[in-house]
Amino acid sequence: MLTPRQGTIALQIHRLLREQIVRGGLKPGQMLSEKDLAQAYGVSRTPVREAFGKLEEEGLISILPQRGSIVAPISPRAVAGSEFVREALECAAAAEAARRCTPAHAARLSDMIAAQHACRSEAAFFEADDAMHRELMVVAGQDAAWRIVDAAKAAIDRVRYVMMRHALKRKSVLAEHTRIIECVSAGDAAGAVEAMRRHLRGVFASTARAMEMHPDLFSGEADPSPTGRRRRPPRTVR
């Protein structure tokens, strides 16, 4: 249900479509019709067009002249770009959170880990995961930075959702989250940074694994991880 109290109509449509793409409800290659969506949401085509523009900026859809809009495949290159932004901001936030963490903060973060263990669905775990990362920004006094991270992480979110279906991946993520929170709560800034970096860089292995399991979801780019990047040919010395 669209309501003005939840933001502009275009932003609401963007959020709804973004969620469907990230969670796999709308799959790569699926066509999106401005007209059909406008009718479904009971709005004019203008806010749908605005939402499409933002989704295209995030790399989630491609707008094809004279053909319409199509859900884009997951781009490994975009995953690498998203990880770069997250690592820069969230490692800095982890260090600052460790320096600022109070007993009350530590208790709150511990409760969030417990909440993740209690999740019974992929969607619930996904939201609890984001909530913990956002809370670390709050503890660091940089909660506004989460908006930058949230806007930049669409490609990573698509990989996360594919892999979160697998119990072993969720177990490893929980262990990584626990280590981050232990370091932050202990005031160990260096340990928090290292734990956060290791956690975030795990998306490269997840992407490679997801590409093997679900090649139809990805573009044909090479794996962008440090071990998967294509090497430039050696320069010829003349």
Side-chain angles (χ1 to χ4, degrees):
M1 179 68 68
L2 303 180
T3 167
R5 289 181 298 177
Q6 295 178 347
T8 70
I9 297 299
L11 285 176
Q12 290 179 67
I13 294 172
H14 166 261
R15 283 196 295 266
L16 290 169
L17 293 176
R18 187 184 196 272
E19 181 177 286
Q20 289 182 64
I21 294 171
V22 165
R23 299 187 178 188
L26 293 173
K27 299 187 181 302
Q30 188 168 340
M31 296 297 297
L32 300 176
S33 165
E34 278 186 16
K35 179 181 178 181
D36 291 348
L37 287 168
Q39 290 178 343
Y41 292 130
V43 299
S44 71
R45 294 175 66 167
T46 299
V48 177
R49 190 175 302 118
E50 291 177 14
F52 277 12
K54 188 167 179 60
L55 291 168
E56 185 180 39
E57 289 177 5
E58 294 175 315
L60 295 176
I61 69 170
S62 297
I63 299 177
L64 310 175
Q66 310 304 319
R67 291 181 56 191
S69 300
I70 187 171
V71 177
I74 303 172
S75 162
R77 188 173 293 113
V79 171
S82 295
E83 194 282 334
F84 183 87
V85 173
R86 291 198 71 173
E87 185 173 323
L89 292 177
E90 294 198 60
C91 284
E96 188 62 20
R99 288 188 281 266
R100 289 171 169 251
C101 191
T102 66
H105 288 141
R108 169 67 176 154
L109 292 168
S110 178
D111 287 345
M112 297 182 102
I113 294 295
Q116 290 177 27
H117 279 281
C119 289
R120 293 292 179 265
S121 70
E122 297 159 12
F125 187 84
F126 194 92
E127 291 173 5
D129 184 333
D130 272 359
M132 187 209 76
H133 281 271
R134 184 170 56 248
E135 184 66 18
L136 285 170
M137 291 284 194
V138 172
V139 175
Q142 298 295 333
D143 45 305
W146 177 254
R147 290 196 293 271
I148 300 173
V149 170
D150 191 48
K153 68 186 183 70
I156 283 179
D157 283 349
R158 296 178 80 181
V159 174
R160 286 170 60 204
Y161 215 84
V162 169
M163 295 306 295
M164 207 58 69
R165 303 168 191 168
H166 305 282
L168 286 177
K169 179 58 181 175
R170 187 185 297 190
K171 184 177 180 180
S172 69
V173 168
L174 275 168
E176 291 165 5
H177 284 175
T178 299
R179 177 59 182 162
I180 293 167
I181 298 311
E182 286 174 347
C183 290
V184 169
S185 299
D188 179 3
V193 169
E194 181 56 32
M196 180 65 79
R197 181 179 292 113
R198 185 179 296 112
H199 170 57
L200 294 175
R201 289 187 179 183
V203 75
F204 293 127
S206 293
T207 300
R209 180 64 176 146
M211 289 174 74
E212 292 176 359
M213 298 168 63
H214 307 281
D216 54 308
L217 300 180
F218 289 82
S219 63
E221 301 165 3
D223 175 6
S225 67
T227 58
R229 290 177 181 149
R230 292 174 178 166
R231 295 181 179 178
R232 294 180 180 178
R235 295 178 61 184
T236 302
V237 179
R238 296 182 179 179

